[in-house]
Amino acid sequence: MSLTIKVPPVGESITEVTLSGWKKKDGDEVKMDEVIAELESDKATFELTAEKAGILRIVAKEGDTLPIGAVVATIEESGTAGSVVKESAPAAQPQPVVVATAPAPASANTIPATNGAAPAASLQVKVPTVGESITEVTLSRWIKKDGDAVAMDEPIAELESDKATFELTAEKAGILKTIAKEGDTLPIGAVVCTIEGVGAAKAAEAAPATATVINNSNTTYASGTPSPAAAKILAEKGVDAKALSGTGVGGRITKEDALLAEKVSENPQISKAAQSQIAEPAKPAAPAPKVESAAPGSRTDRREKMSSLRKTVAKRLVAVKNETAMLTTFNEVDMAPIMELRAKYKDKFKEKHGVGLGFMSFFTKAVCEALKEWPAVGARIEGEEVVYSNFADISIAVSAPKGLVVPVIRNAESLSLAGIEKAVAALAVKARDNKLTLEEMTGGTFTITNGGVFGSMMSTPIINSPQSAILGMHNIIERPVAVNGQVVIRPMMYVALSYDHRIIDGRESVSFLVRVKQLLEDPTRLLLGV
């Protein structure tokens, strides 16, 4: 008996992943919980493990983009018939595929059909876990109707949380029996519908009960079938999937294929010849004609599809503005003491610790000390309760290739300046290489963002929900200031603290920022804790 391995839910806003690499090969014997592949989303990279011991049969290829719930591989028990059939076929020839609606006699050249007419037990489809802070979702609409025949992994409904919208897919083929109604608010784990196992029997009524062996190596059960993400794009743009040939596993139409088709349908300057090349990728053809660039002075627009990361960030920022009573308080910091300290010890610091001494470690350390005195700044609201943390998990805003990410330095209050710098450097490298894991980006009690690296003089940063405050650093500019009655030139930085007035009062926010200023202008306080 084989076990199907699917792409698991990996985050509240992630609808698809890329299979970046196989750790095991097709036909390898794997152990339970052994890592078999590496998947990559727009936010993180994570490992896929074997759910039982057996022989690995690979379905998806490296580089494939797969929707959540898509089949990646199967694991067969050692010595099963499936593995015997595979071994008996020549290694260089593709295994013939059987397209059947009823059981067919087995032979050396066919694979027994598995979608026979015998009824099977019904399967309950429940609301999946979609994020650490999401406890309920709303059933916004049914994509399929009650009594419809559905295919495995086909989208059947659209669920919506306070942070993201995602599709619910069928976990097996059969007849859909809806339970929840559109507009219902459902807790995580609630039953949304059932799928009855008689779907194959109804499908069999529309076709002869014979098996057809297809020996064309370019045609499989997946040929011309769009993935859930691709199907949604095609439906929105009114593009017929029958006019496309997929480039995915077994000829499946991927999201990239759908996006390309979308561009063709929207751009009338691309010739019909170019469209036929897209529809028939198997035929060798000359490159599609290039669209002439716009003449100087012409008024044209360029449209790009928003990345899932950008869409998620946009929704969260708007939600924070609408759901919090956000205010910002400002102050300025004389950076001369820290700059002098860095200039004096940066070489010895790097020689000893193997990492440079930057400004972020001083600001992080100052924030941790200030949070001890003003814990409300690091608190958060959950329902009707205020949650205070006795630790400081500091989120650091980093500009990554795909957009803004906010990895977390855990227990920053217990780290030295060297420990903080090492953590910042490691997270920055992972962010640049798109290797951050979900665990490294979740949680956090307070955020620091540095717009100064891009030249920002002053800004009002937006709170990183569900946190209640964020500190904004800015560029350092030499300005004339009064010191002991004398006008002197000093390297000054404006700092901003945006905070949620529902939980943080003006006295606490101003006092917190003043304390951060004091610690930065006299770094000795950080060492002595005074």
Side-chain angles (χ1 to χ4, degrees), residues 150-322:
V150 296
M152 184 174 179
D153 296 329
E154 184 177 11
I156 56 176
E158 196 172 76
L159 303 179
E160 190 174 291
S161 73
D162 57 349
K163 296 183 179 179
T165 299
F166 51 96
E167 292 177 342
L168 186 68
T169 57
E171 297 177 18
K172 75 167 187 176
I175 299 299
L176 178 68
K177 299 296 182 182
T178 61
I179 296 177
K181 299 178 180 179
E182 291 185 355
D184 284 356
T185 299
L186 307 169
I188 301 300
V191 178
V192 182
C193 61
T194 61
I195 297 178
E196 307 296 333
V198 297
K202 287 200 173 186
E205 297 173 2
T210 58
T212 304
V213 179
I214 300 175
N215 289 300
N216 186 350
S217 59
N218 294 324
T219 306
T220 70
Y221 71 95
S223 296
T225 303
S227 68
K232 186 175 182 180
I233 293 172
L234 295 176
E236 290 174 352
K237 295 300 177 181
V239 178
D240 189 357
K242 296 179 181 178
L244 302 176
S245 293
T247 60
V249 178
R252 183 179 291 276
I253 299 173
T254 65
K255 180 181 178 182
E256 285 71 22
D257 298 328
L259 290 173
L260 187 57
E262 174 188 358
K263 292 177 181 177
V264 170
S265 65
E266 291 182 350
N267 194 340
Q269 299 184 56
I270 298 180
S271 66
K272 291 184 177 180
Q275 294 185 32
S276 65
Q277 291 172 20
I278 295 171
E280 299 177 10
K283 296 181 179 179
K290 295 182 179 179
V291 178
E292 294 295 329
S293 59
S298 63
R299 294 166 57 84
T300 59
D301 293 322
R302 180 170 61 89
R303 296 177 181 270
E304 288 185 1
K305 198 78 173 179
M306 285 183 70
S307 66
S308 56
L309 175 59
R310 180 68 62 188
K311 287 188 286 186
T312 302
V313 170
K315 289 179 181 179
R316 288 183 175 178
L317 293 180
V318 172
V320 169
K321 293 285 287 184
N322 293 335

Side-chain angles (χ1 to χ4, degrees), residues 363 366-367 370 471 511-521:
F363 275 82
V367 162
L471 178 71
S511 299
F512 175 89
L513 197 56
V514 168
R515 182 59 171 154
V516 170
K517 170 184 169 70
Q518 292 173 346
L519 292 168
L520 293 172
E521 291 184 338

Side-chain angles (χ1 to χ4, degrees), residues 354-375:
V355 66
L357 180 59
F359 293 121
M360 188 58 72
S361 56
F362 288 98
F363 275 82
T364 302
K365 202 68 177 174
V367 162
C368 291
E369 291 297 323
L371 285 172
K372 294 177 183 178
E373 299 179 35
W374 307 100

